[in-house]
Amino acid sequence: MPASLISTAFHQAGEAMVVADADLKVVAANAAFAELSGVEPYRLQGRCVRELLDKSHLITDPWEMLNARDHVKAEFTYRNRMGRNAPAILSVSRLRDDHGQPSHHLVVLSDLAALAASGRKTGREVYFDALTGLPNRDLLSQLLNESLEHAKRRGARVALCVLDVDHFKAINDRHGQTMGDSLIALLAQRISHLVHGDDILARIAGDEFALILQQGADEAVLSRLLEAVAAPFHLRGEALQVTVSLGVTFYPQDDADGDVLLRHATQAMHRAKQRGRNTFHVFDPRFDRELQAREVQRRRFRQAIENDELCLHYQPQVDMFDGRVIGLEALVRWQHPEQGLLAPGHFLPLVEGASLDALLGEWVLEAALKQLERWQRAGITLPVHVNISPAHLLSGHFVQRLTGLLACYPEVPATRLKLEVLESAAMGDLQAALATMRDCQNLGIDFAIDDFGTGYSSLTHLRQLPVDLIKIDQSFVRDMLIDPDDMAIVESVIFMANRFRRPMLAEGVESLDHARALLALGCAQAQGYGIARPMPAEAIPDWLADWPNRHEWTALAMHTIGNSRRSNVTKA
Ligand code: C2E
Ligand code: CA
């Protein structure tokens, strides 16, 4: 091939090319290279290619790789003529003379931005978003890792932001997708102009951007960003305004790898949305550690269910009028191998609202049914009250699962099982709760409303709820003798329940004085430490056998009130 043709090919090639000497000093550079680097061709002569391109920080250093081989091809970020980091494929070939000594290098730089702009999609080599020309998520993760590596070496700080346009769907719906796209492109431009040359903006989803701030950021920077975004855009004669929710996390305080940082910034962005949008939220690694610790505890609790480390204790319920035992409340306990017997207060908060809630609930139901079967065979026919959490009751398949469970224990009449639900549970989604409760009643299962008085009690609700027992919360009962306000609440709940002809039970009956006061007010059913503490199932037969001997309790009615009040009292 004639030398002149080779020279023309070199100078006119679309790829940026440099012939450098053995020390990587430029001998000749083509026009594409001058264009890419932004340095006039005549100024390139004699300069080190490495320094020309290498103003940015790199993790994989292609030049180092040349020590081991003659040909190197690597993904590379170089500082382009706009002073920004730009991605490229760098290929360097070492040329040797007739004696095998290195004489020159051929350096070729393929601009990946140009590739994206041209719209050609070539698998994973496409690193750019076609609409905005910004790096996409894949490229962002590479650039982020490079930034982190660089910050690590220099002991610097990096802020990673995730910005999500607020109500973007509504904008698209109202103005059409083309307008929405234009808005995203304008937004990208605006944010790019706000940041420093080496900061990196990427579009990581439809209306979501990530921003690497190489010098970190403070609140003022983030506020300015939000303000700038919120200024109106003028598009086809219309002034459009958008806001973003911004989540940010700081390296090295959040000492994690790029993917995790991106997840954290996204989490923080969601918090910003929850806090009302058009605001920023800083990810708190301490909070995340707490979340993770809870996750570990949840897993441990799931294991506890699977390993049968839970058990039920039973607390008797009595009628103070005739001294009869009328039922037992099942209360869950965790027999922890290291920490001993744990009350629900130790583990229920972990479970609440999570999928574990229903899992625990089903375990309790099944354990109660198993126990009911054992007692049935032993001639103990007391009903058992089981506490049902709001999430479990409203889980959607509650009735179906309960029906299945009941079928597994055919000896146990369904009426033997009673369910206690919190007043607030029923009120959360009243219609759904009512439907589920009615379905259960059709199976023969009665409901008690738990902790009555603490929630949303109102006459209307009480009238609507298909409950067969109202449990007066122990917090009022316990202090009713010393606190006139609590006494007033207990009085009015009893009055109301009697007017609606609903049976009621007082929880937290700790002493005979409580019992007498309640009876005098017209509440006969009671449960509390004064009668019995919750106990394991095995202790119940002995307790039942002993109960008739506790005359101070069983003969209460006779000592306390005259027959005149009997009519007020609703019996079991
Ligand atoms: P709760 O339904 O109000 O149950 C009564 C709680 O009061 C029980 O606490 C019981 O031990 C305690 N208690 C009973 N009498 C007295 C008394 O005279 N004085 C005082 N100070 N306390 C008394 P426990 O067993 O710690 O249960 C606490 C809560 O945990 C229960 O409150 C119930 O809401 C929930 N819970 C218990 N077992 C289960 C269960 O299997 N599933 C669900 N979802 N929740 C449960
Ligand atoms: Ca209860």
Side-chain angles (χ1 to χ4, degrees):
M1 208 188 314
S4 62
L5 181 55
I6 295 173
S7 170
T8 310
F10 174 77
H11 285 291
Q12 294 183 10
E15 300 289 34
M17 291 195 216
V18 172
V19 175
D21 65 13
D23 299 325
L24 288 167
K25 297 253 172 10
V26 176
V27 177
N30 70 0
F33 186 88
E35 166 76 17
L36 215 74
S37 64
V39 182
E40 305 277 345
Y42 69 92
R43 294 194 174 195
L44 286 167
Q45 205 81 21
R47 290 185 59 182
C48 177
V49 194
R50 188 175 173 160
E51 281 161 17
L52 274 170
L53 297 175
D54 220 11
K55 287 173 198 152
S56 75
H57 38 83
L58 302 163
I59 30 172
T60 41
D61 188 341
W63 313 108
E64 294 291 324
M65 289 154 72
L66 273 176
N67 295 334
R69 43 196 150 115
D70 278 358
H71 300 283
V72 166
K73 194 165 187 169
E75 284 166 8
F76 181 82
T77 356
Y78 71 102
R79 184 69 68 98
N80 70 12
R81 64 199 171 110
M82 313 290 286
R84 291 187 181 281
N85 288 333
I89 300 284
L90 178 76
S91 129
V92 188
S93 304
R94 181 178 282 126
L95 312 177
R96 293 182 181 271
D97 61 19
D98 296 344
H99 310 288
Q101 290 305 311
S103 65
H104 289 90
H105 291 92
L106 177 65
V107 180
V108 181
L109 195 69
S110 308
D111 177 17
L112 283 174
L115 194 67
S118 76
R120 271 181 288 141
K121 297 217 166 201
T122 49
R124 63 178 296 281
E125 283 183 1
V126 176
Y127 289 111
F128 289 88
D129 165 47
L131 175 68
T132 58
L134 292 175
N136 63 13
R137 186 181 278 270
D138 285 346
L139 182 55
L140 172 87
S141 36
Q142 287 179 30
L143 296 174
L144 179 58
N145 284 329
E146 285 185 12
S147 294
L148 293 174
E149 201 60 40
H150 179 64
K152 211 171 281 178
R153 270 193 260 121
R154 297 208 352 222
R157 197 172 124 97
V158 173
L160 174 68
C161 307
V162 166
L163 302 93
D164 188 281
V165 180
D166 297 327
H167 303 299
F168 186 62
K169 190 178 171 306
I171 296 171
N172 261 340
D173 289 349
R174 194 169 334 130
H175 301 280
Q177 198 171 339
T178 318
M179 196 84 149
D181 281 356
S182 309
L183 197 65
I184 289 290
L186 285 177
L187 185 62
Q189 257 178 30
R190 187 179 281 178
I191 302 173
S192 319
H193 288 131
L194 289 171
V195 297
H196 293 115
D198 56 352
D199 292 339
I200 292 161
L201 179 67
R203 183 177 182 214
I204 54 175
D207 60 345
E208 206 169 305
F209 296 91
L211 181 58
I212 305 173
L213 299 171
Q214 312 282 12
Q215 270 98 44
D218 56 17
E219 291 198 359
V221 168
L222 301 175
S223 302
R224 272 203 302 279
L225 206 60
L226 292 179
E227 271 168 38
V229 166
F233 289 98
H234 296 281
L235 250 176
R236 293 192 213 138
E238 265 190 78
L240 281 181
Q241 197 177 10
V242 290
T243 58
V244 292
S245 297
L246 191 159
V248 58
T249 191
F250 295 105
Y251 175 87
Q253 289 89 331
D254 187 5
D255 192 4
D257 68 24
D259 287 348
V260 175
L261 288 182
L262 190 61
R263 187 157 51 76
H264 289 169
T266 306
Q267 262 176 37
M269 180 274 288
H270 287 300
R271 286 284 296 133
K273 292 252 181 223
Q274 282 168 1
R275 287 177 39 205
R277 300 178 163 86
N278 190 21
T279 186
F280 64 84
H281 184 84
V282 180
F283 175 80
D284 181 352
R286 227 180 13 200
F287 179 66
D288 189 58
R289 276 195 286 277
E290 276 166 28
L291 273 186
Q292 282 176 10
R294 274 175 78 82
E295 199 40 51
V296 170
Q297 290 171 321
R298 278 204 191 105
R299 273 204 293 275
R300 176 64 189 89
F301 187 70
R302 187 180 287 271
Q303 231 175 33
I305 300 179
E306 284 158 9
N307 298 350
D308 250 347
E309 290 174 20
L310 303 185
C311 62
L312 291 181
H313 279 196
Y314 294 86
Q315 187 177 32
Q317 300 170 330
V318 300
D319 185 314
M320 298 185 287
F321 238 125
D322 51 21
R324 267 186 317 131
V325 180
I326 49 175
L328 300 159
E329 178 173 5
L331 295 158
V332 68
R333 302 287 182 262
W334 180 1
Q335 187 63 57
H336 195 287
E338 286 104 39
Q339 297 170 33
L341 193 69
L342 300 179
H346 284 90
F347 53 87
L348 280 188
L350 209 63
V351 168
E352 270 162 16
S355 59
L356 272 180
D357 212 329
L359 198 67
L360 168 68
E362 288 188 9
W363 184 92
V364 172
L365 277 171
E366 168 130 41
L369 283 168
K370 223 180 266 173
Q371 188 57 50
L372 274 168
E373 188 180 67
R374 276 189 218 119
W375 277 332
Q376 165 84 5
R377 289 173 187 168
I380 298 173
T381 55
L382 291 168
V384 166
H385 289 237
V386 168
N387 292 282
I388 301 295
S389 80
H392 186 200
L393 182 74
L394 299 172
S395 62
H397 43 244
F398 182 78
V399 180
Q400 190 193 348
R401 300 291 266 264
L402 183 58
T403 313
L405 273 176
L406 285 168
C408 298
Y409 298 89
E411 286 175 51
V412 180
T415 48
R416 206 57 67 71
L417 186 67
K418 313 246 179 220
L419 303 180
E420 294 192 1
V421 294
L422 290 174
E423 191 188 356
S424 54
M427 293 309 143
D429 183 349
L430 189 60
Q431 291 317 317
L434 287 179
T436 309
M437 289 165 88
R438 292 217 175 88
D439 287 347
C440 290
Q441 283 181 320
N442 290 337
L443 295 172
I445 297 172
D446 284 345
F447 273 91
I449 193 116
D450 218 351
D451 300 348
F452 194 78
T454 56
Y456 303 70
S457 340
S458 86
L459 287 175
T460 341
H461 292 144
L462 187 57
R463 199 163 47 87
Q464 262 180 308
L465 288 173
V467 291
D468 310 278
L469 180 69
I470 290 167
K471 294 188 82 175
I472 310 171
D473 190 59
Q474 53 162 295
S475 59
F476 307 122
V477 176
R478 222 174 27 223
D479 296 335
M480 64 185 270
L481 301 177
I482 44 170
D483 184 334
D485 289 344
D486 283 351
M487 177 58 108
I489 292 175
V490 173
E491 268 174 358
S492 43
V493 172
I494 294 174
F495 176 78
M496 206 153 68
N498 275 327
R499 288 301 298 264
F500 282 93
R501 293 194 180 74
R502 301 291 174 91
M504 81 211 87
L505 181 147
E507 296 182 306
V509 177
E510 294 189 345
S511 70
L512 279 166
D513 286 342
H514 286 91
R516 288 189 196 103
L518 287 159
L519 263 180
L521 291 170
C523 173
Q525 299 188 23
Q527 173 182 349
Y529 290 172
I531 299 155
R533 288 192 174 246
M535 62 190 98
E538 307 78 65
I540 288 288
D542 283 350
W543 184 87
L544 287 174
D546 184 51
W547 174 246
N549 304 327
R550 292 180 55 192
H551 298 294
E552 73 283 16
W553 282 92
T554 49
L556 252 182
M558 276 187 286
H559 305 303
T560 312
I561 48 171
N563 281 348
S564 60
R565 300 201 72 132
R566 240 171 205 276
S567 57
N568 277 341
V569 180
T570 319
K571 290 197 183 174

